[in-house]
Amino acid sequence: MKTGYVELARAQQERWQTAYEQNPSLHGPEPSTAARWTAELFGAAGIDDVLELGAGQGRDALYLARQGFSVHATDFSEAALHQLRLDAQRDGLDDRVTAALHDVRDPLPPADATVGAVYANVLLNMAFSRAELRSLVNEIRRVLRPGGLFVYTVWSTEDRGYGKCSAIGDGLYAKDGFAGRFFDLDLVHELADRWELRGADAYTEDPHTMWRVTQAKPHPVS
């Protein structure tokens, strides 16, 4: 990782840690629109285990657990994961939800081809270089079982905030101390290389215009 990205990653981790410490319900208690849709998709596919990356304080992880999934949630903020564990215990879901500190710039913990599905809501549009994004998506493909699903959501370049934030280089923008990237379809297709792209659907979750992307790990060719 280049020096500039090391410094940016460290600053972003500190910024998110502070935000989670100051607000035990930063994103509210209700699950995201993406989580509701994803639960239906995973259920219809017969998936019962989900690895969530960038889970934050766990509003989506807890929702998925309530729908019957076994969820392993990761985030790089211990403050966020502490709140997730408290809420899981309060709701009697600690048998369905586990939480682990992990920075997705590092290799993912699961062994090869052991995970049924991976879910990441507004994680990939955070402060990653394009090389880091490609590396992360390769890691996700590694840990998924053949036919396993990867669903992620990101801000779209059609979002009303695109171009109105401060550009900080390499397609990244910053606002109020947080950095991120807006995705166009070219980047969506770039990250779907060596995958089966099942869908790239535009939707709105106030105040953002988003992409919801569904990819499947291909089965080996016999």
Side-chain angles (χ1 to χ4, degrees), residues 200-222:
D201 304 304
Y203 73 104
T204 300
E205 185 157 18
D206 193 55
H208 293 295
T209 301
M210 314 280 293
W211 290 113
R212 182 181 61 229
V213 181
T214 306
Q215 302 179 177
K217 178 177 177 176
H219 288 273
V221 178
S222 57

Side-chain angles (χ1 to χ4, degrees), residues 167-207:
I168 58 176
D170 191 31
L172 293 171
Y173 295 83
K175 183 178 181 181
D176 300 328
F178 294 103
R181 181 186 303 278
F182 295 85
F183 276 50
D184 59 19
L185 272 178
D186 287 343
L187 182 52
V188 170
H189 283 282
E190 177 184 333
L191 297 180
D193 183 42
R194 298 171 61 198
W195 291 80
E196 178 185 335
L197 181 60
R198 296 275 182 91
D201 304 304
Y203 73 104
T204 300
E205 185 157 18
D206 193 55

Side-chain angles (χ1 to χ4, degrees), residues 100-157:
L101 189 68
H102 181 258
D103 189 326
V104 294
R105 293 175 179 83
D106 299 325
L108 297 177
D112 295 1
T114 57
V115 176
V118 176
Y119 170 69
N121 184 39
V122 292
L123 169 70
L124 272 66
N125 54 221
M126 297 302 168
F128 301 110
S129 69
R130 292 176 78 104
E132 288 171 338
L133 286 172
R134 291 191 293 270
S135 177
L136 171 57
V137 171
N138 287 340
E139 273 292 288
I140 292 168
R141 189 177 63 249
R142 177 186 66 80
V143 304
L144 278 174
R145 294 190 286 270
L149 298 178
F150 171 37
V151 173
Y152 71 89
T153 67
V154 285
W155 307 326
S156 165
T157 50

Side-chain angles (χ1 to χ4, degrees), residues 71-119:
V71 184
H72 183 60
T74 72
D75 200 273
F76 69 175
S77 167
E78 184 56 50
L81 294 176
H82 176 68
Q83 188 63 49
L84 189 162
R85 295 184 188 105
L86 289 177
D87 291 343
Q89 186 174 35
R90 177 201 64 200
D91 294 346
L93 295 171
D94 42 345
D95 62 333
R96 287 191 172 275
V97 179
T98 59
L101 189 68
H102 181 258
D103 189 326
V104 294
R105 293 175 179 83
D106 299 325
L108 297 177
D112 295 1
T114 57
V115 176
V118 176
Y119 170 69

Side-chain angles (χ1 to χ4, degrees), residues 35-97:
R36 297 178 188 275
W37 181 89
T38 299
E40 293 185 8
L41 175 70
F42 289 171
I47 291 166
D48 57 13
D49 64 300
V50 179
L51 170 63
E52 183 180 1
L53 306 177
Q57 293 165 322
R59 61 175 181 149
D60 286 353
L62 296 173
Y63 175 77
L64 292 171
R66 292 188 192 101
Q67 306 312 303
F69 298 96
S70 175
V71 184
H72 183 60
T74 72
D75 200 273
F76 69 175
S77 167
E78 184 56 50
L81 294 176
H82 176 68
Q83 188 63 49
L84 189 162
R85 295 184 188 105
L86 289 177
D87 291 343
Q89 186 174 35
R90 177 201 64 200
D91 294 346
L93 295 171
D94 42 345
D95 62 333
R96 287 191 172 275
V97 179

